[in-house]
Amino acid sequence: MSNKVFKTAVEALEGLTFDGMVVMAGGFGLCGIPENLIGALRDSGAQNITAISNNAGVDGFGLGLLLETRQIKKMVSSYVGENKEFERQFLAGELDLEFNPQGTLSERIRAGGAGIPGFYTKTGVGTVIAEGKPTMDFDDEEYIMETGLKADVALVKAWRGDTQGNLQFKKTARNFNPMMATAGKVTVVEVDELVEVGSFDANYIHTPGIYVQRIIEAKCEKRIEQLTIRERA
Amino acid sequence: MAQGKGWSRDDMAKRAAQELKDGFYVNLGIGIPTLVANHIPDGVDVTLQSENGMLGMGPFPYPDEVDPDLINAGKQTITELRRSSYFNSAESFAMIRGGHIDISILGAMEISEGGDIANWMIPGKMVKGMGGAMDLVAGVKRCVAVMDHTNRAGASKFLPQCTLPLTGRNCIDMVITDLGVFSRGEGEARFRVTELAPDIEMDEVKAKTEADLDWSVL
């Protein structure tokens, strides 16, 4: 049986990183991001990275770490609002940015992982998103073509995983992680809790281990972006 | 309302909430639309969708319930309900794009007389991104835009054509502003004034609207 389990994030990325690589990183805001693997990617020193991720982290956390060190050349995202360093680099022309509507981004990743090179969507018809893209009419309605996305390495955060890479996600920390797991040539996962194979009820596995090549157990800070609470009466 | 005429932000949210029907699956945008959740009419049971991967969004947590793995699309901590379900982002937008969400209530910078909406970028300013807005206006069955009728300079935001980059084309079914409600039925090209806010006269709405509307019926 092949061994998918690695001890540390740095070891899990060994031999996978290179200049100009395309990386996917899961998460929505700071929820469900592979914190430890992002740190290890920074430490790898890989340059000119194209990062596909819904957001760009915040200053000093998440993908913000890789922006600080100028390791990211291009971001493919749907929303990048919470990062001053990102804004500075973008306005200075130091960083490329490709905006995708969030549903288009998630579907491009799903398609890439599912062996579908392109698909048609009505999202973005009549907007700047449609510029330069082929169109097709279906039932007298216009659609634009979008392409599937793949990555050299997908960095995924899951809640629990077993030693064969079967994964379960927690609440809204799931977000982009399951699709990204399918779209990486190599998929590396960090989990809160690593368990022996056979521990899960097979009915409740969200991502089957076939998509996962490497897995680590690692503690996450899980920073909260907008703490909102109510008081007990 | 106490201060002056027309609707406040909260009044607009309250009016928008009247569009929710029992059993609806609903997506609320950020800003005034978020306030709609506070005004859901009695006897109307709706399920709120959060596009980061949840149906059945609950209220903000008590301090001892906070979970960093449970947030809404505005990145705020929230809670789950008995009916809640979680799913991935591709499935979330399959619901949205596939027409399974009954209504989307969203903020707007400009609306055109043909139902175009612009709400995601101002050229020359830092662009944060469209997030899920383009998917929502393209896919949700009914889209209701909530905005101030005029900008700070007093110019109409309800226009013949949007001047800002579009979020979507011909997708808005109802516009709620501080001055009133403007709606069009399925397949209708033009909006009609269907309601005026308190102490607002039609002449004032006409004076503050550049869009060509159907002014005939009220």
Side-chain angles (χ1 to χ4, degrees):
Chain A
M1 197 182 274
S2 69
N3 180 32
K4 296 184 178 183
V5 179
F6 287 69
K7 279 205 177 69
T8 67
V10 170
E11 286 172 43
L13 289 191
E14 216 166 80
L16 301 182
T17 60
F18 56 93
D19 293 350
M21 69 189 298
V22 178
V23 176
M24 287 179 182
F28 182 96
L30 300 180
C31 181
I33 62 172
E35 291 177 26
N36 293 280
L37 293 168
I38 289 170
L41 179 59
R42 177 196 56 190
D43 295 345
S44 78
Q47 303 290 321
N48 292 319
I49 293 169
T50 294
I52 301 169
S53 187
N54 189 53
N55 313 94
V58 297
D59 290 293
F61 199 68
L63 289 179
L65 291 174
L66 292 169
L67 289 164
E68 271 176 10
T69 53
R70 312 286 185 93
Q71 284 167 275
I72 295 179
K73 177 194 68 178
K74 180 181 179 182
M75 286 286 320
V76 180
S77 303
S78 85
Y79 190 85
V80 296
E82 344 291 346
N83 195 312
K84 287 270 168 259
E85 176 60 16
F86 182 100
E87 187 172 336
R88 194 200 64 69
Q89 288 183 25
F90 177 71
L91 293 175
E94 298 165 12
L95 185 67
D96 290 341
L97 172 60
E98 179 188 319
F99 277 128
N100 284 200
Q102 196 176 145
T104 295
L105 181 61
S106 56
E107 189 64 13
R108 291 183 73 191
I109 298 164
R110 196 197 69 80
I116 294 172
F119 59 92
Y120 286 92
T121 176
K122 56 188 166 182
T123 299
V125 170
T127 75
V128 292
I129 291 303
E131 285 172 12
K133 289 174 183 163
T135 64
M136 178 98 91
D137 284 9
F138 297 89
D139 294 331
D140 296 325
E141 213 181 326
E142 187 182 340
Y143 292 74
I144 58 177
M145 197 191 84
E146 297 281 359
T147 55
L149 284 172
K150 291 183 196 178
D152 295 304
V153 176
L155 305 181
V156 164
K157 165 71 188 179
W159 177 25
R160 295 194 283 228
D162 71 21
T163 50
Q164 277 299 296
N166 295 307
L167 305 178
Q168 291 180 331
F169 300 92
K170 191 181 161 201
K171 301 185 180 179
T172 56
R174 188 181 315 192
N175 55 65
F176 284 77
N177 284 296
M179 291 85 69
M180 288 184 174
T182 70
K185 284 178 198 158
V186 181
T187 291
V188 187
V189 183
E190 63 175 87
V191 294
D192 290 335
E193 195 184 340
L194 183 67
V195 298
E196 278 307 311
V197 68
S199 303
F200 294 142
D201 178 336
N203 285 299
Y204 298 102
I205 289 169
H206 296 137
T207 289
I210 187 171
Y211 299 114
V212 175
Q213 281 71 49
R214 300 184 180 190
I215 188 166
I216 59 163
E217 181 181 84
K219 196 161 173 50
C220 271
E221 180 187 330
K222 297 195 183 180
R223 202 180 284 188
I224 292 173
E225 224 163 314
Q226 304 279 345
L227 179 65
T228 44
I229 53 169
R230 59 180 165 151
E231 297 302 331
R232 286 190 196 279
Chain B
M1 51 177 274
Q3 65 278 41
K5 44 186 201 162
W7 279 324
S8 66
R9 285 164 57 88
D10 214 45
D11 295 332
M12 286 190 261
K14 196 170 178 182
R15 178 58 191 83
Q18 301 300 314
E19 298 304 309
L20 305 180
K21 304 287 179 258
D22 197 37
F24 267 19
Y25 290 90
V26 178
N27 186 290
L28 300 178
I30 293 176
I32 298 174
T34 305
L35 302 174
V36 171
N38 303 331
H39 297 288
I40 297 169
D42 287 343
V44 172
D45 181 50
V46 300
T47 301
L48 300 180
Q49 198 243 21
S50 190
E51 64 262 28
N52 55 318
M54 182 186 202
L55 273 169
M57 204 183 345
F60 294 144
Y62 294 117
D64 56 358
E65 292 177 333
V66 170
D67 184 346
D69 291 322
L70 181 48
I71 63 168
N72 64 18
K75 286 131 189 168
Q76 297 171 311
T77 46
I78 50 167
T79 54
E80 64 182 22
L81 304 171
R82 286 170 64 87
R83 73 178 64 178
S84 298
S85 57
Y86 300 109
F87 35 84
N88 68 50
S89 300
E91 174 135 27
S92 178
F93 283 93
M95 280 170 210
I96 289 168
R97 207 190 300 101
H100 305 281
I101 305 283
D102 294 293
I103 191 168
S104 166
I105 299 175
L106 64 170
M109 297 171 181
E110 292 177 346
I111 301 288
S112 81
E113 62 192 34
D116 301 347
I117 177 172
N119 74 349
W120 77 283
M121 87 175 266
I122 300 172
K125 290 204 178 172
M126 178 60 197
V127 182
K128 293 183 170 185
M130 71 292 285
M134 285 190 181
D135 307 280
L136 283 159
V137 297
V140 172
K141 286 180 200 157
R142 188 155 185 270
C143 292
V144 174
V146 183
M147 66 174 187
D148 289 327
H149 204 90
T150 55
N151 64 22
R152 279 185 200 138
S156 177
K157 293 167 67 172
F158 204 171
L159 298 164
Q161 294 291 329
C162 293
T163 63
L164 297 169
L166 293 186
T167 308
R169 199 171 65 187
N170 188 15
C171 52
I172 300 299
D173 302 287
M174 175 181 271
V175 183
I176 297 171
T177 77
D178 49 324
L179 302 186
V181 179
F182 310 83
S183 60
R184 56 178 189 165
E186 184 109 16
E188 283 179 357
R190 291 164 93 203
F191 288 86
R192 146 187 355 192
V193 188
T194 50
E195 234 174 288
L196 293 174
D199 302 320
I200 298 295
E201 301 292 333
M202 190 65 109
D203 285 347
E204 179 180 356
V205 180
K206 281 184 181 172
K208 289 181 171 173
T209 306
E210 283 184 38
D212 177 33
L213 307 185
D214 177 351
W215 301 100
S216 60
V217 192
L218 182 63

